[in-house]
Amino acid sequence: MALAKEIMGCSMMEYKSSLSSPFLNQNKFLIRPSLVNPSRMRRDNRVHLRKAKKGAVAAISEDLVKIVPVFSAAEKPVKFKVRAVVTVRNKIKEDFKEAIAKQLDALTDKIGRNVALELVSTQIDPRTKVAKKSSEGVLKDWSKKSNLKAERVNYTAEFEVDSNFGVPGAITVTNKHQTEFFLETITIEGFACGPLHFPCNSWMQAKKDHPEKRIVFCNKPYLPNQTPEGLKELRQKELKNLRGDGNGVRKLSDRIYDYALYNDLGNPDKGIDLTRPTLGGKKIPYPRRCRTGRLPTDTDMLIESRVEKPLPMYVPRDEQFEESKMDTFSFGKLKGVLHNLIPSLRSSFKSDKDFRGFADIDSLYSEGILLKLGLQEEILKKLPLPKMVSKFQDYNQGILKYDIPQILSKDKFSWLRDDEFARQAVAGVNPLSIERLESFPPVSKLDPEVYGPVESALKEEHILPHLYGMTVQQALDENKLYIVDYHDVYLPFVDRINALDGRKSYATRTIFFSTPNGSLKPVAIELSLPHAGPSSRAKRVLTPPVDATTTWLWRLAKAHVCSNDAGVHQLVHHWLRTHATLEPFILAAHRQLSAMHPIYKLLDPHMRYTLEINALARQALINADGVIESCFTPGRYAMEISAAAYKDWRFDTQSLPADLIRRGMAVPDPTQPHGVKLVLEDYPYGSDGLLIWGAIENFVRTYVQHYYPDSSRIRSDRELQDWYSESINVGHADLRNETWWPSLSTPDDLVSILSTLIWLASAQHAALNFAQYPYGGYVPNRPPLMRRLIPEETDPEYANFLADPQKYFLSALPSVLQATKYMAVVDTLSTHSPDEEYLGERQQPSTWSGDADVVEAFYKFSAEIRDIEKEIDRRNSDPTLKHRCGAGVLPYELLAPSSEPGITCRGVPNSVSI
């Protein structure tokens, strides 16, 4: 009986008792109850953290609530009709070819080349031993509604079923038109258990291109061993289609998820300078990426040929940016920046000139720069470029004006202060590198035979004058000393970087002290070059300045630290730890977890757009001579630094509590709400992050316990085990034998794994991404590359430094071209698009799952997220928290969940979507 209730969506006992009611004896009709409690439905408008923008929907003339005949079991099965309401999302813009095809489809729809649907029951026909199916229904009035300009259009279709049909668990869709269309949802009206919802959010390809029928499952979740008999074959068939066979070149319309090495970053056919090593495999371990199947290059059969901009790279069709995101911001506008703005900037500066003074930098925001647009002028006028490049004071003159970054909005000179330099280590673009110093001096882990002595040049006398009377040991014991250590990350690459034209780097260590008022301050910076022999002066220590000369030397040292920080932030914490390492889990989820699986439904919003943005990154950001190589100090060695960091990456330390403990920024404490206690109380990323982490973990635990009350269900769930196993053994194949991979045997194991993945995709990525322009848009605050080393008294250029330290400082920063190119890109990457879906939101909030208890748990999660936002606002007004409140101090809002579109330095999207 319980199984019947689960499958039918309503109790058979209730159904039978209703047959004897006087109302039914007289009328033989039943008005269907709602599948979801109406009180829960009314809460939909409270789920969103910001007011949702809804497009116009073309109304349908039919009434959605119908009366349905009900027959007793003793009667002979009788056929009756049910109806589908199908919501199709229109394209906002169509090119000429698409418009012609659309009109052709409208004409041919009338003669049978239409869209056909078929209901598939959860039950097996005892005679044929296959799932029961309805008659075929076609979408009505397609030709009549083809010219509607509404964002969404509702169509209807009717089906004939008999009274023994049961309940539909799937719908097959055949698109006989010439072109694809986006199917958002299907709602079936007419069954006794109420409306049945089939969320789809997928492109329906034309039958001529993809002959197989598309399968859309009902929103009711099923574990594999609970799958109704009528759906078992379809469940396996759909997964098989998504996996593909691993062969052939992928078409843009395909929905196939598979793995490949990072063997497409270089382009050896264009010359040796664009050759790059393959990432992934024994030689250079790295995560796997989505396979495209492109042919190899002519020069090297092991290197995949490139698809250069503006041609699109393959990702499965449903992973591509939706039109609103593509059109309003990300894809179209990022390409506009990369393909048109940057060449214009390059042609505007005949030589790679330096900024002549800080006034030149200020003029980028007040006066703009003159672009010699030449033949590209008319093209640029038509491009939907980002906000900061669309504010042309006089477009005919090609003036490009950048928005003022937030770092300058409250205090134009804050970037010069040591306390601001330190504050950004815990509340800036990269709060993930700082660690508590547990012993002094720090020691390298590199091989001394290759890289020289492991000892640091830092001595107690360097930092003692800045410890407020404490000894070094006292400061260590009382958790007062912290470090940002880039020595071992950079030292193996410094010689190669410094041999590049216009690039200069050190391996750096920065020591911070927590002052009595709770704020950090830098007390020493160590600068290291590769060891060149016994008499080599490879290590150098600078301390806070005492006069004019040391002020400028200290300023240069901080700039080198910031440059290194920008590189590690982008290549390790941002790209590797959120983008690259999540991609295998996403690929495996689509390949191994059915859309009916409850864990797929949980992860779905946290996988949105990630494969697309990663493909775009391979095409234009992390590729040979791409933005990362052009704008950051490591140059052509950038991705090798990322790959070197992957060797030390561990999934079991990626959760926020585990990461804080690993870095010594927190200690285990079972009395605390999240099981850890911060050692630095005013750590905005850590303290706000724990609130978000706790909300995610609580919701995931409730969700997991609902479907997995005991460990036996975890172990027997073949899809779940295959997903996790493939993520490790294929997606992270180079690390598959590591012993630190968490097991997946208990509900607690699953809660930990899922919470970590959702944290990384949402809050972790948001904290690392959306402050790039607010802090990096003013290049002196956070230079992405340095072009000069710091002069010593014996150096020939030391005299030039003394004569004009400002000129020397500016010549060490990126050139005008490098700076403006970098600013244009990080502005785009820091922008929220209007269709952003934030933590606590999801599409179809009341019907994404057919399980009312789970929907209720999601509403509670949304409410908790809103409460967290209020607490973050309160903290940003607390004057005792110096790292987020004070004169000229920017509030820490990167983990405030909601945001308006644009560059806001706040907002936590559900997924890695930019």
Side-chain angles (χ1 to χ4, degrees):
M1 194 62 68
L3 181 60
K5 180 176 180 180
E6 184 173 2
I7 295 176
M8 297 295 291
C10 53
S11 170
M12 291 296 290
M13 291 296 290
E14 295 170 12
Y15 180 81
K16 286 184 177 180
S17 65
S18 68
L19 293 177
S20 61
S21 71
F23 177 81
L24 286 177
N25 287 338
Q26 295 172 20
N27 299 285
K28 291 283 185 179
F29 288 96
L30 174 69
I31 296 178
R32 295 174 288 96
S34 174
L35 185 63
V36 179
N37 188 307
S39 65
R40 291 176 182 150
M41 294 287 286
R42 285 193 296 270
R43 292 181 204 160
D44 283 7
N45 62 345
R46 302 205 309 270
V47 174
H48 299 281
L49 301 180
R50 60 178 177 16
K51 187 175 180 181
K53 294 185 178 178
K54 297 183 179 179
V57 179
I60 57 174
S61 58
E62 296 87 352
D63 189 345
L64 287 181
V65 179
K66 300 181 72 176
I67 52 178
V68 189
V70 178
F71 304 91
S72 68
E75 294 181 21
K76 183 180 178 180
V78 177
K79 293 187 180 296
F80 64 97
K81 289 185 177 181
V82 296
R83 185 183 61 168
V85 178
V86 180
T87 302
V88 172
R89 187 188 304 163
N90 273 339
K91 286 189 175 181
I92 300 171
K93 295 182 179 179
E94 295 174 336
D95 58 29
F96 180 73
K97 183 178 178 182
E98 290 172 332
I100 294 296
K102 184 176 180 178
Q103 293 304 315
L104 183 62
D105 285 341
L107 291 173
T108 58
D109 188 83
K110 296 179 180 180
I111 58 172
R113 287 176 57 179
N114 47 27
V115 177
L117 282 66
E118 193 174 39
L119 306 184
V120 181
S121 174
T122 58
Q123 299 178 5
I124 292 289
D125 188 318
R127 293 180 294 105
T128 63
K129 307 301 181 184
V130 296
K132 298 177 183 178
K133 296 180 180 178
S134 71
S135 63
E136 190 178 81
V138 300
L139 296 194
K140 297 179 179 180
D141 299 329
W142 186 279
S143 59
K144 185 187 299 183
K145 296 179 179 181
S146 63
N147 290 322
L148 288 175
K149 300 302 181 184
E151 183 180 353
R152 292 171 177 83
V153 178
N154 287 334
Y155 299 91
T156 60
E158 288 188 350
F159 311 89
E160 193 173 77
V161 296
D162 66 43
S163 51
N164 290 334
F165 181 80
V167 174
I171 301 173
T172 61
V173 181
T174 304
N175 176 13
K176 301 174 189 176
H177 291 163
Q178 294 295 304
T179 57
E180 65 181 6
F181 67 90
F182 190 84
L183 177 56
E184 202 165 79
T185 62
I186 303 174
T187 301
I188 302 298
E189 297 281 347
F191 287 92
C193 60
L196 298 168
H197 301 281
F198 294 75
C200 182
N201 298 305
S202 180
W203 290 95
M204 301 290 112
Q205 299 300 323
K207 182 180 179 180
K208 65 181 180 64
D209 299 320
H210 295 267
E212 287 203 3
K213 294 180 178 181
R214 278 294 308 276
I215 303 165
V216 181
F217 292 108
C218 186
N219 65 349
K220 182 169 179 57
Y222 294 104
L223 294 176
N225 61 6
Q226 297 170 341
T227 309
E229 289 297 322
L231 303 180
K232 286 184 177 178
E233 183 180 347
L234 289 181
R235 185 170 187 148
Q236 293 306 313
K237 182 179 180 181
E238 177 72 352
L239 285 175
K240 183 180 179 181
N241 290 340
L242 291 169
R243 291 177 194 134
D245 60 8
N247 297 314
V249 178
R250 297 274 66 85
K251 298 181 296 183
L252 292 176
S253 59
D254 285 346
R255 292 171 62 244
I256 296 176
Y257 298 78
D258 206 352
Y259 302 90
L261 303 173
Y262 278 75
N263 64 343
D264 63 342
L265 301 182
N267 194 347
D269 288 349
K270 286 192 172 182
I272 193 169
D273 286 345
L274 294 179
T275 299
R276 296 293 180 271
T278 294
L279 305 185
K282 290 183 179 180
K283 188 175 181 181
I284 307 179
Y286 212 63
R288 300 303 186 257
R289 48 94 174 176
C290 184
R291 179 185 179 274
T292 68
R294 295 194 304 271
L295 297 175
T297 61
D298 296 333
T299 308
D300 188 337
M301 292 297 292
L302 298 179
I303 300 299
E304 189 172 271
S305 59
R306 287 188 54 77
V307 173
E308 299 294 356
K309 50 186 185 283
L311 297 176
M313 289 180 70
Y314 169 78
V315 294
R317 181 64 180 100
D318 291 338
E319 304 302 316
Q320 296 170 28
F321 288 152
E322 292 178 17
E323 192 176 8
S324 59
K325 186 177 182 73
M326 188 188 309
D327 211 44
T328 57
F329 157 60
S330 290
F331 194 55
K333 294 185 179 182
L334 182 55
K335 287 201 298 185
V337 169
L338 299 181
H339 309 165
N340 299 281
L341 173 61
I342 289 171
S344 298
L345 290 175
R346 187 175 292 117
S347 66
S348 298
F349 306 115
K350 292 182 179 178
S351 60
D352 218 8
K353 66 177 183 179
D354 303 334
F355 289 106
R356 293 168 297 179
F358 289 102
D360 279 3
I361 303 175
D362 295 341
S363 69
L364 295 177
Y365 317 111
S366 59
E367 300 172 13
I369 57 177
L370 183 66
L371 302 185
K372 297 178 181 178
L373 300 178
L375 296 177
Q376 298 190 49
E377 182 176 351
E378 290 305 314
I379 299 174
L380 278 168
K381 283 183 179 179
K382 298 175 183 178
L383 278 171
L385 291 175
K387 180 181 177 185
M388 89 292 175
V389 301
S390 64
K391 292 183 177 179
F392 287 168
Q393 292 177 330
D394 184 353
Y395 195 85
N396 291 328
Q397 297 301 314
I399 293 176
L400 172 62
K401 184 179 175 184
Y402 292 85
D403 280 346
I404 297 175
Q406 282 181 266
I407 185 63
L408 302 180
S409 63
K410 284 192 169 186
D411 182 351
K412 182 178 178 180
F413 303 106
S414 64
W415 68 277
L416 291 167
R417 299 197 317 265
D418 282 359
D419 63 296
E420 177 61 23
F421 172 75
R423 189 191 72 82
Q424 290 183 32
V426 292
V429 186
N430 176 24
L432 270 70
S433 287
I434 190 167
E435 302 179 3
R436 178 166 56 90
L437 192 60
E438 298 182 359
S439 62
F440 186 89
V443 176
S444 172
K445 297 177 183 177
L446 296 175
D447 184 354
E449 295 293 324
V450 178
Y451 299 105
V454 298
E455 292 80 17
S456 167
L458 287 160
K459 307 295 182 185
E460 288 198 3
E461 54 264 31
H462 289 130
I463 66 173
L464 267 176
H466 310 285
L467 302 187
Y468 289 75
M470 300 179 76
T471 66
V472 172
Q473 191 57 50
Q474 283 178 316
L476 291 171
D477 293 342
E478 295 184 25
N479 300 327
K480 295 291 187 181
L481 288 175
Y482 298 85
I483 186 171
V484 171
D485 192 344
Y486 294 138
H487 181 277
D488 290 4
V489 175
Y490 275 92
L491 194 64
F493 297 91
V494 166
D495 268 345
R496 285 180 282 171
I497 291 171
N498 289 347
L500 297 173
D501 185 33
R503 304 295 169 94
K504 290 293 180 274
S505 178
Y506 296 97
T508 60
R509 290 188 179 107
T510 309
I511 307 295
F512 297 95
F513 177 72
S514 180
T515 64
N517 72 0
S519 64
L520 291 177
K521 73 169 188 175
V523 295
I525 294 174
E526 181 184 32
L527 306 164
S528 298
L529 295 171
H531 185 70
S535 60
S536 170
R537 294 183 59 192
K539 299 180 188 292
R540 181 179 182 186
V541 175
L542 279 78
T543 55
V546 294
D547 56 30
T549 300
T550 54
T551 293
W552 281 103
L553 292 172
W554 180 246
R555 197 166 288 163
L556 282 164
K558 289 194 296 182
H560 272 281
V561 170
C562 288
S563 172
N564 283 359
D565 188 71
V568 171
H569 159 263
Q570 201 68 266
L571 299 168
V572 180
H573 299 315
H574 183 196
W575 169 256
L576 175 65
R577 291 179 61 183
T578 62
H579 287 259
T581 55
L582 281 178
E583 186 159 347
F585 289 96
I586 294 171
L587 290 170
H590 287 285
R591 290 167 52 84
Q592 301 297 340
L593 295 176
S594 165
M596 289 190 286
H597 200 291
I599 301 306
Y600 180 90
K601 290 182 178 294
L602 175 68
L603 290 176
D604 185 35
H606 305 290
M607 303 188 289
R608 187 185 188 212
Y609 293 153
T610 302
L611 297 186
E612 170 80 331
I613 194 60
N614 285 4
L616 179 59
R618 298 201 318 275
Q619 187 178 41
L621 298 178
I622 63 172
N623 60 303
D625 202 31
V627 170
I628 299 298
E629 289 194 3
S630 301
C631 294
F632 290 82
T633 294
R636 63 178 294 145
Y637 306 108
M639 290 306 292
E640 291 183 55
I641 288 179
S642 181
Y646 180 63
K647 294 177 182 178
D648 297 322
W649 176 87
R650 296 177 51 148
F651 182 76
D652 63 332
T653 61
Q654 297 306 301
S655 74
L656 179 60
D659 179 58
L660 292 172
I661 291 171
R662 177 188 66 82
R663 292 187 285 121
M665 299 302 291
V667 293
D669 187 343
T671 67
Q672 297 296 313
H674 314 293
V676 297
K677 181 179 180 180
L678 293 174
V679 297
L680 181 66
E681 182 179 349
D682 189 7
Y683 184 16
Y685 162 78
S687 56
D688 292 359
L690 286 172
L691 295 178
I692 299 287
W693 168 265
I696 292 172
E697 189 179 43
N698 289 340
F699 172 57
V700 171
R701 179 170 286 108
T702 300
Y703 192 95
V704 166
Q705 289 175 348
H706 183 78
Y707 295 103
Y708 301 96
D710 54 60
S711 298
S712 63
R713 290 201 186 186
I714 296 281
R715 292 192 292 269
S716 65
D717 187 337
R718 194 69 263 148
E719 285 184 12
L720 182 71
Q721 294 295 335
D722 287 348
W723 162 67
Y724 188 56
S725 175
E726 184 174 286
S727 298
I728 297 170
N729 293 307
V730 182
H732 287 277
D734 304 327
L735 301 180
R736 65 184 179 274
N737 294 322
E738 298 293 339
T739 58
W740 43 254
W741 283 104
S743 61
L744 180 52
S745 302
T746 69
D748 283 345
D749 293 341
L750 183 56
V751 169
S752 177
I753 291 166
L754 294 174
S755 298
T756 299
L757 292 174
I758 293 172
W759 161 260
L760 292 171
S762 58
Q764 182 74 96
H765 178 260
L768 291 165
N769 186 76
F770 293 105
Q772 291 186 82
Y773 187 80
Y775 284 95
Y778 186 66
V779 169
N781 176 65
R782 190 174 173 80
L785 64 83
M786 295 294 286
R787 295 185 295 151
R788 287 195 175 193
L789 296 176
I790 301 174
E792 299 195 51
E793 293 184 15
T794 56
D795 294 337
E797 56 187 9
Y798 190 76
N800 295 331
F801 163 73
L802 288 179
D804 194 341
Q806 176 177 290
K807 181 178 180 181
Y808 189 94
F809 179 82
L810 291 172
S811 70
L813 298 183
S815 67
V816 176
L817 173 60
Q818 290 168 329
T820 49
K821 177 179 178 179
Y822 170 74
M823 289 163 64
V825 173
V826 295
D827 179 287
T828 305
L829 299 179
S830 302
T831 302
H832 289 291
S833 65
D835 77 331
E836 203 84 86
E837 199 176 276
Y838 296 94
L839 198 62
E841 299 176 353
R842 62 181 300 159
Q843 297 178 23
Q844 296 98 33
S846 64
T847 59
W848 64 275
S849 173
D851 193 320
D853 290 336
V854 163
V855 172
E856 180 69 21
F858 180 72
Y859 284 129
K860 291 180 179 178
F861 171 62
S862 299
E864 187 174 357
I865 292 296
R866 291 195 300 274
D867 290 341
I868 288 171
E869 183 150 3
K870 294 175 184 176
E871 172 60 17
I872 290 173
D873 290 342
R874 185 199 65 77
R875 291 176 176 181
N876 285 328
S877 301
D878 185 347
T880 66
L881 300 176
K882 307 295 185 183
H883 292 147
R884 62 196 310 161
C885 182
V889 174
L890 292 181
Y892 188 75
E893 297 180 311
L894 286 164
L895 292 177
S898 72
S899 175
E900 294 299 319
I903 301 174
T904 62
C905 206
R906 62 177 290 138
V908 180
N910 274 325
S911 62
V912 178
S913 58
I914 188 59

